[in-house]
Amino acid sequence: MRESPVVAVAEGVTALTPGSVVKWAINTFDRDDKKILVAGILVLLAIIFALIGRVARRHWWIAVGGYVVLAAVAFLAVAAKPTPALIDYVPVVVGLLCWVIVLAVLAEGLRRWEVVGGPGPVSAHARRQFLVSVGGAVALAAAAGLVGRVAGSARRRAEASRRLLRIEGVTAPAVPDGVSLPVPGVTPWATPSEPFYLIDTTFIKPTIEPAEWSIRIHGMVDREITLTYRDLVAREITQDWITLNCVSNPVGGDLVGNAWWSGVRLAPLLAEAGLHPDADAVLQTSDDGWTCGTPLAALTDGRNAMLAVAMNGEPLPIEHGFPVRTIVPGLYGYVSATKWVVDMEVTRFDRFTAYWTAKGWGERGPVKIASRIDVPRSGDEVPAGDLVCAGVAWFQHTGISAVQVQVDGGAWQDAELAQVASADTWVQWRRTVRVEEGEHQVRVRAVDRDGTVQTGVVADVLPDGATGWHTIDVTAQA
Ligand SMILES: Nc1nc2c(c(=O)[nH]1)N[C@H]1C(S)=C(S)[C@@H](COP(=O)(O)O)O[C@H]1N2
Ligand SMILES: [Mo]
């Protein structure tokens, strides 16, 4: 469901922009990135409209030509979408017609106002007519707004069915004992759904009623499977704490969260479909046409890869993929965690490129080991003497065995680890270090379950995830 051609153009701009720039924008503007882009396009449109309006007073056809060019841009933007539907073109055509009609009516009215000129009954009539035309244009705009409201009501309907849903087998999250350290300022071990980071390429979130949802599993399988929402939740529900993170999370960044996910395991579903031995990937497609390629092995090797229906004990929030999304421990979101997932094609990596891999991001996207200092914050002034440092570390599906802290390039000191819930969740750490009066640098690194130490070699998030040690600066005062 698209509300306006502006959104299609905005999506088109995103699609045509290099992946690194898009990821940068998503990071920098966080949840506002789309609003900023749409606002930018609207301002540009307003300027173009003003120019067209001026030209229209002399050269009517040039102005119409200008509108046609604008409409063509919107048309191409819609066509460039991964799965353009006929209905997506409707706002473009309607918009073009509105512009031309409004231009005709207003320009004519204004011309008469100006030609007649001066005070008197005739010009008063012309003026009145012009104002009526303006009123008409405003009414048209209001009608267009109403169309947008209808889209909003689809959202309200989906919200309503979401609130009424009770899924058998989904239980409220219970934080395991000992996973949280009592250090003020450290990130909570369990991330509530509301502040959980949000990353996707949509401008308007798909609003899918569970009754309308189904998924098709097909491709290199013996038997194609189609499941409705009812079919899905009738199966056995698996639940787990799983840490999800974004490939574009910079060292020390916060595009990572740990939630209690409930869903249906993918391994038995794929086994029922009957996998061909030479398949090595699943091409997932979401309702909005976004795609990602997931290594088949990660879906079948026994880890808790699932079609998730609930997050933190409640049906998925719409932003997080309602009614169904994929969650795979150990893979970055961009190759696995498809929100609003509707299609899974079992295939081979050498047969497709997906949304982000087409923009130069890595094909398989296993997560990299990472650690972060939450306390103190970089730039803090702290008292000289004992300094409590704390944070989180994660390496999903491999696991963390140790975390170490270093002050001013000195010896690495072992940190205390909180209870490690599983290899698929992050872990909290704490270490008290000594700092003399003056400026200091504190660094953290983690060690994985196999004893491999996190690399200090700095790598950018592009193409397959950042590396390097998170480092903060503090000033200690007497
Ligand atoms: N449909 C859809 N699913 C998507 C994406 C997207 O753009 N569209 N982005 C992915 C990326 S890059 C990440 S990191 C995770 C983020 O999930 P969240 O928004 O629930 O935190 O969703 C993944 N699933
Ligand atoms: Mo991501």
Side-chain angles (χ1 to χ4, degrees):
M1 169 63 85
R2 303 288 157 223
E3 283 183 55
S4 90
V6 173
V7 169
V9 171
E11 283 177 345
V13 169
T14 312
L16 297 176
T17 308
S20 52
V21 177
V22 174
K23 283 266 176 182
W24 170 83
I26 289 176
N27 261 347
T28 310
F29 303 116
D30 201 19
R31 297 184 185 217
D32 294 326
D33 60 331
K34 276 96 190 184
K35 281 178 215 144
I36 289 170
L37 180 55
V38 168
I41 292 174
L42 285 175
V43 168
L44 194 68
L45 271 179
I47 295 170
I48 294 175
F49 277 175
L51 288 176
I52 289 180
R54 290 191 68 150
V55 174
R57 294 164 68 172
R58 287 163 170 276
H59 310 285
W60 159 254
W61 286 108
I62 295 182
V64 173
Y67 283 155
V68 170
V69 169
L70 277 182
V73 169
F75 197 86
L76 288 178
V78 173
K81 282 157 34 100
T83 51
L86 212 54
I87 182 125
D88 293 339
Y89 293 101
V90 171
V92 177
V93 176
V94 172
L96 177 61
L97 284 178
C98 286
W99 293 340
V100 172
I101 291 167
V102 168
L103 176 72
V105 172
L106 290 190
E108 175 59 18
L110 193 59
R111 202 181 50 75
R112 271 200 271 159
W113 182 339
E114 287 174 348
V115 167
V116 176
V122 184
S123 74
H125 176 71
R127 221 171 294 154
R128 198 156 46 238
Q129 266 200 340
F130 175 68
L131 293 177
V132 166
S133 313
V134 171
V138 170
L140 252 173
L146 212 73
V147 172
R149 290 280 292 278
V150 172
S153 82
R155 162 97 193 189
R156 279 194 297 280
R157 268 202 309 278
E159 273 298 357
S161 9
R162 181 181 168 267
R163 267 196 305 279
L164 294 174
L165 260 188
R166 294 289 171 273
I167 308 162
E168 182 124 19
V170 171
T171 61
V175 175
D177 285 341
V179 295
S180 304
L181 292 171
V183 181
V186 78
T187 310
W189 185 83
T191 314
S193 303
E194 178 51 37
F196 201 100
Y197 81 93
L198 266 185
I199 297 279
D200 59 67
T201 59
T202 67
F203 286 80
I204 295 162
K205 308 302 160 205
T207 47
I208 311 166
E209 306 262 349
E212 289 167 355
W213 182 90
S214 68
I215 193 167
R216 187 170 155 239
I217 300 172
H218 60 109
M220 298 170 71
V221 295
D222 299 333
R223 291 162 295 275
E224 212 179 287
I225 295 181
T226 298
L227 287 173
T228 65
Y229 188 79
R230 241 175 225 268
D231 298 337
L232 185 72
V233 295
R235 297 176 71 99
E236 190 190 336
I237 297 286
T238 182
Q239 306 193 96
D240 212 350
W241 288 101
I242 297 167
T243 297
L244 176 66
N245 59 332
C246 183
V247 67
S248 53
N249 193 33
V251 170
D254 58 6
L255 298 178
V256 51
N258 185 43
W260 173 248
W261 302 98
S262 316
V264 172
R265 281 174 69 100
L266 272 160
L269 270 175
L270 293 168
E272 275 171 40
L275 297 169
H276 293 185
D278 48 340
D280 66 0
V282 170
L283 176 61
Q284 304 189 49
T285 307
S286 65
D287 179 71
D288 59 294
W290 184 82
T291 54
C292 78
T294 311
L296 188 55
L299 304 178
T300 55
D301 67 2
R303 73 183 80 186
N304 231 342
M306 65 173 94
L307 286 171
V309 292
M311 177 182 192
N312 292 325
E314 291 180 353
L316 296 174
I318 289 178
E319 287 73 14
H320 291 291
F322 182 75
V324 182
R325 77 172 306 169
T326 312
I327 291 290
V328 184
L331 298 180
Y332 285 124
Y334 83 108
V335 291
S336 64
T338 313
K339 306 194 269 190
W340 316 289
V341 62
V342 292
D343 192 279
M344 288 192 162
E345 181 189 352
V346 178
T347 176
R348 298 179 49 86
F349 274 111
D350 57 18
R351 295 190 185 163
F352 69 89
T353 53
Y355 188 93
W356 286 114
T357 49
K359 291 172 179 285
W361 293 78
E363 193 169 73
R364 309 208 174 209
V367 300
K368 295 181 178 175
I369 188 170
S371 51
R372 190 178 76 196
I373 304 171
D374 291 343
V375 187
R377 299 255 150 218
S378 199
D380 275 2
E381 291 188 354
V382 299
D386 281 346
L387 175 65
V388 176
C389 301
V392 282
W394 60 87
F395 193 16
Q396 296 95 299
H397 213 61
T398 300
I400 299 288
S401 66
V403 171
Q404 299 171 329
V405 178
Q406 182 195 58
V407 181
D408 301 329
W412 287 98
Q413 313 171 39
D414 281 327
E416 169 197 353
L417 290 193
Q419 199 63 46
V420 180
S422 83
D424 295 337
T425 63
W426 62 13
V427 52
Q428 293 192 353
W429 61 266
R430 165 171 66 179
R431 169 78 205 197
T432 304
V433 297
R434 295 271 321 162
V435 284
E436 307 303 324
E437 211 178 316
E439 299 193 349
H440 299 283
Q441 260 197 351
V442 185
R443 261 207 171 125
V444 67
R445 71 180 188 187
V447 182
D448 76 13
R449 279 236 176 123
D450 306 327
T452 307
V453 177
Q454 180 183 346
T455 179
V457 175
V458 173
D460 184 41
V461 293
L462 188 69
D464 54 13
T467 64
W469 296 325
H470 186 212
T471 305
I472 60 159
D473 298 296
V474 293
T475 308
Q477 280 167 340

